Amino acid sequence: MKVRGHRVEPGEVEAALTDLPGIGQAAVVARRRADSDAQALCAFVVPAEKAAAFDEAAVRAELEQSLPSHLVPSVVRAVAALPETASGKTDRNALPNPFGEGVDEPGTVVAPSDAPGPGPDITAVTAGIWARVLHCEAAGLDPSSDFHKLGGDSLAVLEMLTALGEDVLGGASEQRFLDRLGSLSGNLTLGRVVEALEELRSTS
């Protein structure tokens, strides 16, 4: 499959996921974002028995240590089991689109509520991007984490914006976020960035 101009072998990403402690099975697919025509890499994983509570940000941070950035899924969702075809193979076509629908049991779509939600886990996605750009651990980030104090310069801010535009925002919202970011530049914390992203998604 091709995602964001890069050739992606799902098996390579799935192998990296199942190599992580606490993950028993994995399936990787490309799904279209609700607010654009862009395809994003999405992973569905089945936690191993007796595994600790699933932490999407921690999983993405681990993958960033072993995979190129274009192979790190934008979204990683834990499910009870992967859907199967009649022949017992993983039915990737039955996996939902996490950008437009909720995920409960595999193959079961949870209808979105009337109130607009933040879409994919914006905090986890943003923390993963910060970890990649700033070369730090996503698991160590919290809402008070300051981008500049963690070593982010103007080039790092541009890299973050590009990644957020691809992974969270559509093209129409990207400029609005850039305008909003100007007022946050003196106090660019993870919490304030996530708040701005969620506000833009709710009004888009």
Side-chain angles (χ1 to χ4, degrees):
M1 68 176 73
K2 228 178 182 184
V3 177
R4 291 188 292 180
H6 295 281
R7 179 73 182 172
V8 175
E9 292 295 339
E12 182 179 356
V13 185
E14 290 165 359
L17 281 162
T18 54
D19 279 345
L20 298 178
I23 294 181
Q25 294 176 279
V28 173
V29 294
R31 290 290 183 262
R32 192 174 301 280
R33 296 182 180 282
D35 54 0
S36 74
D37 291 331
Q39 295 270 15
L41 201 61
C42 305
F44 295 86
V45 300
V46 179
E49 289 186 22
K50 300 181 180 179
F54 178 74
D55 184 337
E56 179 182 5
V59 169
R60 295 182 77 253
E62 288 283 350
L63 291 178
E64 287 162 2
Q65 304 301 313
S66 59
L67 294 174
S69 59
H70 68 274
L71 293 182
V72 177
S74 298
V75 175
V76 183
R77 289 286 182 266
V79 294
L82 297 175
E84 295 183 347
T85 63
S87 61
K89 294 182 179 180
T90 300
D91 187 357
R92 287 173 171 76
N93 291 329
L95 292 167
N97 183 345
F99 297 108
E101 301 157 336
V103 180
D104 189 9
E105 295 301 312
T108 301
V109 175
V110 179
S113 63
D114 292 336
D121 188 338
I122 291 178
T123 300
V125 173
T126 306
I129 290 171
W130 280 36
R132 184 166 71 245
V133 172
L134 299 172
H135 306 290
C136 63
E137 292 291 333
L141 298 172
D142 60 39
S144 66
S145 297
D146 187 292
F147 191 84
H148 297 300
K149 289 181 179 178
L150 289 169
D153 56 16
S154 58
L155 290 177
V157 170
L158 289 175
E159 186 177 351
M160 175 187 67
L161 285 173
T162 299
L164 287 173
E166 293 175 344
D167 292 355
V168 179
L169 299 169
S173 298
E174 195 169 348
Q175 183 58 48
R176 290 168 57 202
F177 177 67
L178 187 59
D179 294 340
R180 176 73 185 275
L181 194 65
S183 64
L184 302 178
S185 59
N187 185 20
L188 196 60
T189 64
L190 181 63
R192 297 190 73 185
V193 170
V194 170
E195 181 182 347
L197 289 169
E198 291 182 343
E199 182 179 324
L200 284 176
R201 287 186 65 90
S202 67
T203 58
S204 60

